Amino acid sequence: MTYAPTSAGSPNIEVGPKWQRPDGELLAQFQRHSVANIGDALGRLGMPDGGITPLWDGCRAVGSALTVLTVAGDDLAVIDAVAHIEPGDFLVINGFGYPGRAVMGDILSQYFSSRGAVGAIVDGAVRDRDEIRQQQFPVWSRSVTPAGPWKHGPGAVGTPVAIGGVVINPGDVVVADADGIVAVPLKKAYDIATELARIAESEQGMRTQAKQAPTK
Ligand SMILES: O=C([O-])CC(=O)C(=O)O
Ligand SMILES: [Mg+2]
C-alpha cells in the first residue's frame, strides 16, 4: 500500500482555525527543564496519564502542539496533518487509546521529521519501532503493534484534542521526556518559565542536601 501526504486535504478531515505558535525563544526556555519540574510549576495537576511512554530510550522533545484527532486504528487525519507541519511542531494525536492497530509508523515519522517536527505523541498504537529508533525521531505511544492503519477518516487537524485524559490545544508548549508528557497553555507559558527557574534552583538545593545527608 503506498500513500503520499498532499496539501489538498481530505474532504472528511476538518481543519481548525489558524492558531498562534510559541516562538523559538520561549520554547528554548523549556529545553533545560524536566517534565516533572514543569508539572510542579503547573501545580502538579493536568498531566496525561503514565500509560503513554517513549518508544526508545532517550526520547526528549519540546515543541508547539499540532493536534490531530483520528478514528481508532485509522491514519487519514495523521497523513493530512503532514501538510500543516511547521518547524518546531510537536504532533499530538488522539487515537482513542486503541491498541489494536497502529496510526503511524516509520514512513509517517520520516515525513514528520523531514518537515521539521520535533516529535509525536500518540494516545493509541504505533509500529516500526526499530526504524523509528534508527531515525532518532522522538515518539511516545500507548502501545506498539504490527497491525497497520486503515485510511478512511474522519478526523480533524488543529482542533483541541484530549490525550491521556488531558485537553491539549494547538500551539500549547508540549514537553516530553523519559517520565512522560506535559502541555503548558501558551497564555501561561511565560509565567511558568519564570517559575521553573525557581523550582530548578530549589531542587538543586534539595539534591545537594540529600547527597550530604549524614550516615547513621
Ligand atoms: O503503512 C502505513 O500505513 C503506516 C506505516 O506503517 C508507516 O507510516 O510507516
Ligand atoms: Mg511502516
Side-chain angles (χ1 to χ4, degrees), residues 3 75 104-108 127-128 149 151:
Y3 64 87
D75 75 348
M104 67 165 279
D106 71 307
I107 313 268
L108 270 167
R127 65 176 181 171
D128 307 327
K151 297 173 192 299

Side-chain angles (χ1 to χ4, degrees), residues 35-115:
V35 167
N37 281 9
I38 299 167
D40 284 0
L42 284 167
R44 304 193 166 192
L45 286 173
M47 305 174 80
D49 73 70
I52 306 175
T53 57
L55 202 57
W56 46 271
D57 273 352
C59 278
R60 178 178 163 85
V62 178
S64 167
L66 170 53
T67 55
V68 182
L69 175 67
T70 193
V71 173
D74 186 293
D75 75 348
L76 187 63
V78 186
I79 293 169
D80 272 34
V82 170
H84 297 271
I85 294 172
E86 291 190 9
D89 278 353
F90 203 147
L91 281 288
V92 176
I93 302 166
N94 175 345
F96 288 85
Y98 180 57
R101 197 166 284 284
V103 297
M104 67 165 279
D106 71 307
I107 313 268
L108 270 167
S109 157
Q110 185 59 64
Y111 271 107
F112 295 166
S113 168
S114 300
R115 297 274 307 206

